[in-house]
Amino acid sequence: FDPQKTSASWLLTITDQHQPRLYLNASRFLFYKNGLPFLPRMDEATDTLNQFRGEAERPKNSDADNDLKPPIGACRNLEDYFPLQYSLPLAYGIGPAGLPSNASDKRQAQAKQLKAYLMVFEQILGNALAQLSHTADLFCLDPAIDQTYFIQEFNESRIKGFDEIQNSLNKSVLEGITETVPEFQERRNRFLDHLLARFGEQFSEYALLLTKVDGKKVAQERLINDKISFLNAYPSISQDRAKAFDYSKPVPYHSGSEQEKQHNEPGIKKRIGLLLGYPDLSFFFTDLHPAYGPGYTVSFTLKDKTGKRWLEGKITVPVSSSEEAPATASRSLLVLMNQPQKYSIVHKQKNGLFQLKLSDKQTKLLATHASLFSTKAEAEKLKAELIDWSAQERMIVVEHLLLRPKFPGDALYPACTDGGCNTGTCGSEDPYSFRLTFVMPGWTTQYNENLDMRRFAERTIREETPSHLVSKICWVDDDGFIDTSNNPIICKLAELLFAKSLTTDDSAPSEVGAAACSCAQAIYNVFNTAFENWYQPIALEYLHPDVIGKGVSKSFSTIDKPTSDDCKKFDVSSCWTDVMTLMTRHYLQIALNGFQFERFERAWLQWLDANARIDWTEERLYERVVAILKDNPQLPSTSESDRCQCATKILNQYGKAFFDWITDQRNAGVEPSKLPLFKFDPSFDADICKNIAGQVTNLLNTKYDEYKEVSCRLSIVVDLLSKLRNTYPVATLHDCDDGSDDNPVRLDNTALGDLPLSPSSQTT
């Protein structure tokens, strides 16, 4: 201690057995903020000091030596039960030692009676511990869980003398007493609802509709499976909710192995499917090898997230490379699985069980379900689930932004359309930005026979669609060519015979009787056969109405007039021209509107495949033309504005010529993959453009020839998309009666007619 030093005045001499303490009331604190001193309030200084002290006493750095270590848990076996009766005095004779060997029969009976009385309490206490040990199972997503109340199973090793007092009280009997099947389904749904609520999700409205359609017992069981599928997939459907598919790759595509399987689909599609109650199934492809004929044979398994096998088998697909086989196989399987007539349920006489099989177009066995069913109803139930799932998987989410033109002259969305499913836009309305169209399978039973489920699906889609997007929903039918004996066209033919045809004795028929109807049926059969032979090979091709009209007329040109006895009563030749006109108009509508979904799906996938082959971010036609104008030494010195105007003029000429050429080729029925070479020689009337005409022409002719297929396929997609129509259940005039609740006719609920429904059963 040196009193001569200035710093010595800050030193305090501490005597033995004492320690310094900070006295706040007699202290003065000076704080600095941004280099400026200020005096704080005393409460503020105290709080800051307490914070510093706390950080010093318990640092947050986990590597510090003075950090508190977390306590180590102890694993406890909650089911290790110690019987209550073992705690009673040995004099009762119900402990492990029992009674002495010389005990009377009465004394032994009294001990057994007391033991049996206490077993009620033993079971209650044991069940309580079993319930605690299975707490994790209450919130488990394993579909194999079949109880929410758990029991403690006692036996001779746990309680001595148990076998002497129990009477067929085994585990299954106790579980049945503790919890019935309806109780389990109700409680299991409540636990799953709790898990859903943690993420702000619910299945309440869907549960009400499902109960109304399927009945309470079936609905409860299906609800459990639907909720489990949704929760298992929640990590992906939540983080990928707003994720679009990768349009640079074909859709769908698979890697071909279980470990690396990938999906290329919009995240919202899977989320909507799970919210609508569809199972979360996926194809896994293995054992890819060349087939004996053209193509590849692929082994596949359809499984859910728990590993349950729904279908397994082999399919041969006509592809040229092994990379294309998985994607083509998945598309082919979805189409086949959507056709009820491709399924068969075989009764095994040996064991009395039933097997579900799937066959291809030639009735060749493709796949079977992994296990057998005890009843045919169970097999039918799985068949219905597979049909609905395959239809839902084919749902198409069209992002209109992908349809925008990529270059001058590319296909344009129709300026004004009045699609029946509100797909149309008119005037200055932008048909591309912030728009989605959901092309839904409208032929499935639950959406075609129950309009409440359809409205629920529409609400779900709109609620799940991001708020900045406009969603439009099309319930598209898949009916093709339907041959039916009660077709309305037959009545029109009979009326035509009555109105314009003359009988052989030059007298008009008095009424449209049996002869006229029979002759009309014969005429219909002749035209029907001719149309079917022409239509089936081209059912899914996109053709211009003029091309279809010529094809229909040509197929009818060789038809001979029917010569049945009923037709001989009429002079059919006198009205044959009118008959030809009526039937041509009728079958033209079938050819144009049949297979609406199949035709759009095919055009959509073909365009995606063609579009994925071009990287549009690297094309930049406009910039390339401007670069030619700028870098060519033969051109005079010009301003950037002049070069831009020249490039714009050249591309406008090319674009218009290309657009008109594609339209003519499409209307002529030319296959997009077989379009001829495109060449165009623009008129370079400006001096700045004349000197580089050859360079620009060679560049654009090469590029536009590369774009011709993808642009033609895009024009087909936008044309079909603008013409999609909603489908509704068929109703008859009888359903218009007041009070008819079986199939009431309502606006936007039913379609008037009497043709039978044909859900993709006619798919070629």
Side-chain angles (χ1 to χ4, degrees):
F1 179 74
D2 188 357
Q4 301 300 323
K5 291 183 178 181
T6 305
S7 61
S9 61
W10 291 93
L11 298 179
L12 297 177
T13 303
I14 308 300
T15 58
D16 294 340
Q17 305 299 322
H18 289 78
Q19 64 178 359
R21 291 293 183 92
L22 179 63
Y23 185 50
L24 297 179
N25 294 333
S27 301
R28 181 172 178 268
F29 295 90
L30 184 65
F31 284 74
Y32 288 85
K33 183 175 183 181
N34 297 330
L36 299 176
F38 69 96
L39 292 174
R41 299 189 307 270
M42 183 54 66
D43 58 346
E44 183 180 3
T46 303
D47 293 340
T48 304
L49 184 61
N50 289 335
Q51 181 179 353
F52 288 153
R53 284 174 173 171
E55 292 177 354
E57 292 176 359
R58 185 180 297 176
K60 295 182 179 179
N61 187 1
S62 59
D63 295 333
D65 294 335
N66 57 351
D67 191 18
L68 293 178
K69 303 298 182 182
I72 299 176
C75 181
R76 304 183 186 278
N77 184 9
L78 295 178
E79 289 190 289
D80 187 13
Y81 179 74
F82 184 78
L84 172 66
Q85 53 194 267
Y86 283 8
S87 303
L88 296 180
L90 296 178
Y92 287 91
I94 58 176
L99 291 171
S101 58
N102 59 352
S104 64
D105 293 341
K106 179 179 179 181
R107 182 71 185 89
Q108 292 180 4
Q110 290 174 340
K112 291 181 180 179
Q113 188 176 21
L114 178 58
K115 183 183 288 287
Y117 172 76
L118 292 176
M119 277 305 303
V120 177
F121 303 96
E122 300 279 15
Q123 192 67 57
I124 293 175
L125 294 174
N127 289 354
L129 293 177
Q131 192 74 8
L132 286 175
S133 65
H134 288 85
T135 301
D137 293 335
L138 298 176
F139 301 96
C140 180
L141 299 182
D142 185 1
I145 298 295
D146 58 356
Q147 58 186 131
T148 60
Y149 281 122
F150 299 90
I151 66 165
Q152 181 77 260
E153 184 179 11
F154 294 111
N155 49 40
E156 186 69 21
S157 61
R158 282 181 175 268
I159 300 179
K160 187 176 181 180
F162 177 79
D163 291 342
E164 298 178 358
I165 60 175
Q166 68 95 11
N167 184 16
S168 301
L169 201 60
N170 53 30
K171 183 178 180 181
S172 60
V173 174
L174 281 174
E175 289 177 346
I177 296 174
T178 306
E179 184 179 39
T180 63
V181 174
E183 288 175 338
F184 159 73
Q185 293 176 345
E186 191 271 336
R187 283 174 52 82
R188 181 67 165 150
N189 272 295
R190 285 168 54 193
F191 283 114
L192 294 174
D193 287 339
H194 171 82
L195 294 177
L196 288 169
R198 286 176 173 264
F199 303 104
E201 308 287 353
Q202 61 177 347
F203 275 63
S204 56
E205 185 177 1
Y206 171 71
L208 291 174
L209 290 171
L210 192 63
T211 302
K212 178 181 177 182
V213 176
D214 292 345
K216 186 172 183 180
K217 181 179 179 180
V218 179
Q220 291 289 332
E221 181 181 356
R222 181 171 176 181
L223 271 174
I224 293 173
N225 296 329
D226 293 344
K227 292 173 182 177
I228 290 176
S229 297
F230 183 82
L231 288 167
N232 275 323
Y234 201 79
S236 61
I237 64 177
S238 57
Q239 69 178 9
D240 297 337
R241 180 176 182 176
K243 183 179 179 180
F245 71 95
D246 186 355
Y247 66 89
S248 65
K249 298 181 176 65
V251 179
Y253 76 96
H254 301 269
S255 65
S257 65
E258 295 195 8
Q259 293 77 17
E260 302 176 357
K261 180 180 177 300
Q262 303 179 47
H263 280 293
N264 186 22
E265 62 182 9
I268 193 174
K269 175 181 176 180
K270 184 175 182 180
R271 181 178 175 85
I272 289 173
L274 292 171
L275 285 173
L276 296 181
Y278 292 98
D280 187 11
L281 307 179
S282 299
F283 285 113
F284 294 92
F285 298 98
T286 56
D287 299 334
L288 177 66
H289 56 83
Y292 291 106
Y296 285 81
T297 299
V298 187
S299 298
F300 67 91
T301 304
L302 182 64
K303 299 193 298 185
D304 58 21
K305 293 297 183 181
T306 63
K308 175 185 175 183
R309 298 172 180 265
W310 291 57
L311 282 178
E312 50 189 358
K314 295 182 178 180
I315 184 173
T316 301
V317 289
V319 294
S320 57
S321 65
S322 58
E323 291 78 11
E324 302 175 7
T328 305
S330 63
R331 296 176 189 175
S332 302
L333 287 169
L334 288 176
V335 173
L336 289 171
M337 291 173 61
N338 197 220
Q339 305 177 46
Q341 75 277 11
K342 299 302 180 183
Y343 294 88
S344 60
I345 299 176
V346 180
H347 185 215
K348 300 288 186 179
Q349 298 293 338
K350 184 176 181 180
N351 52 19
L353 301 178
F354 296 85
Q355 185 179 35
L356 180 65
K357 296 183 177 182
L358 175 69
S359 304
D360 62 4
K361 301 175 184 178
Q362 290 76 31
T363 67
K364 176 184 176 182
L365 178 63
L366 288 182
T368 59
H369 184 59
S371 57
L372 301 178
F373 300 94
S374 57
T375 62
K376 186 176 181 180
E378 294 178 358
E380 291 285 357
K381 180 182 176 182
L382 180 66
K383 170 185 171 182
E385 274 198 273
L386 289 174
I387 292 175
D388 291 341
W389 173 81
S390 59
Q392 175 65 21
E393 281 294 299
R394 297 173 67 186
M395 179 185 78
I396 301 174
V397 182
V398 180
E399 302 175 47
H400 284 223
L401 196 63
L402 295 179
L403 306 178
R404 70 193 189 283
K406 311 297 190 305
F407 57 90
D410 200 5
L412 296 171
Y413 199 86
C416 187
T417 62
D418 56 351
C421 54
N422 299 321
T423 59
T425 57
C426 283
S428 60
E429 194 173 357
D430 183 2
Y432 299 108
S433 302
F434 309 110
R435 292 183 179 273
L436 295 177
T437 295
F438 293 84
V439 184
M440 303 293 292
W443 66 86
T444 55
T445 302
Q446 62 176 337
Y447 296 130
N448 202 31
E449 295 183 0
N450 183 8
L451 270 297
D452 290 332
M453 285 294 292
R454 180 183 292 194
R455 283 186 283 269
F456 165 72
E458 292 178 353
R459 286 194 300 274
T460 301
I461 291 174
R462 291 193 172 95
E463 289 173 356
E464 296 300 324
T465 303
S467 58
H468 68 285
L469 299 178
V470 177
S471 60
K472 297 182 179 180
I473 306 166
C474 293
W475 295 95
V476 182
D477 203 352
D478 205 24
D479 283 345
F481 172 60
I482 303 176
D483 183 12
T484 175
S485 59
N486 61 344
N487 198 307
I489 195 64
I490 299 177
C491 296
K492 294 182 179 179
L493 282 173
E495 293 174 357
L496 181 62
L497 291 175
F498 169 72
K500 294 188 176 182
S501 180
L502 299 176
T503 58
T504 53
D505 56 357
D506 295 334
S507 61
S510 59
E511 61 181 358
V512 181
C517 291
S518 178
C519 182
Q521 181 69 55
I523 295 174
Y524 171 78
N525 293 338
V526 173
F527 278 89
N528 210 50
T529 302
F531 175 76
E532 185 175 7
N533 294 334
W534 172 82
Y535 181 64
Q536 289 294 347
I538 62 168
L540 302 184
E541 295 182 11
Y542 173 85
L543 297 175
H544 191 269
D546 294 341
V547 177
I548 295 179
K550 293 178 182 178
V552 173
S553 299
K554 184 178 180 181
S555 65
F556 292 165
S557 61
T558 58
I559 291 179
D560 296 328
K561 302 177 183 64
T563 58
S564 62
D565 293 338
D566 290 321
C567 286
K568 290 180 180 179
K569 300 178 181 179
F570 301 91
D571 185 9
V572 180
S573 300
S574 62
C575 63
W576 189 248
T577 302
D578 296 328
V579 170
M580 186 72 71
T581 302
L582 177 65
M583 299 305 291
T584 301
R585 188 184 303 116
H586 169 71
Y587 285 103
L588 178 61
Q589 292 301 315
I590 294 178
L592 289 175
N593 302 321
F595 295 118
Q596 189 178 193
F597 185 92
E598 287 272 353
R599 192 173 294 168
F600 177 77
E601 180 188 49
R602 185 188 187 196
W604 170 256
L605 294 176
Q606 288 177 339
W607 171 70
L608 287 177
D609 290 339
N611 189 67
R613 294 194 291 266
I614 300 177
D615 185 0
W616 293 108
T617 61
E618 299 297 330
E619 294 303 308
R620 303 179 181 178
L621 282 182
Y622 178 81
E623 288 81 357
R624 293 190 182 193
V625 175
V626 172
I628 293 176
L629 296 175
K630 180 179 180 180
D631 300 336
N632 197 303
Q634 300 179 5
L635 295 179
S637 177
T638 56
S639 65
E640 183 178 357
S641 176
D642 293 337
R643 291 193 296 268
C644 292
Q645 290 180 4
C646 180
T648 301
K649 181 177 180 180
I650 294 173
L651 289 175
N652 285 341
Q653 291 184 42
Y654 257 90
K656 184 177 184 306
F658 181 79
F659 183 86
D660 295 338
W661 181 78
I662 285 291
T663 302
D664 294 338
Q665 297 294 323
R666 188 193 69 187
N667 294 346
V670 180
E671 171 65 26
S673 60
K674 299 179 181 179
L675 290 171
L677 182 66
F678 173 76
K679 288 185 177 181
F680 176 67
D681 188 12
S683 59
F684 297 93
D685 54 355
D687 293 338
I688 186 176
C689 299
K690 290 182 179 179
N691 295 329
I692 48 85
Q695 299 179 48
V696 175
T697 301
N698 292 336
L699 169 68
L700 296 184
N701 278 341
T702 301
K703 285 298 178 182
Y704 274 86
D705 193 64
E706 295 175 0
Y707 301 159
K708 62 186 179 183
E709 179 182 354
V710 65
S711 182
C712 185
R713 295 198 183 280
L714 177 59
S715 66
I716 294 174
V717 168
V718 295
D719 184 60
L720 292 176
L721 180 63
S722 65
K723 295 177 180 178
L724 292 180
R725 296 292 186 273
N726 280 327
T727 180
Y728 295 102
V730 175
T732 63
L733 288 174
H734 175 73
D735 298 313
C736 295
D737 297 339
D738 292 336
S740 176
D741 293 329
D742 293 335
N743 191 18
V745 176
R746 299 287 186 271
L747 183 63
D748 291 337
N749 281 358
T750 51
L752 192 61
D754 60 354
L755 289 179
L757 298 176
S758 178
S760 70
S761 60
Q762 305 291 334
T763 303
T764 57

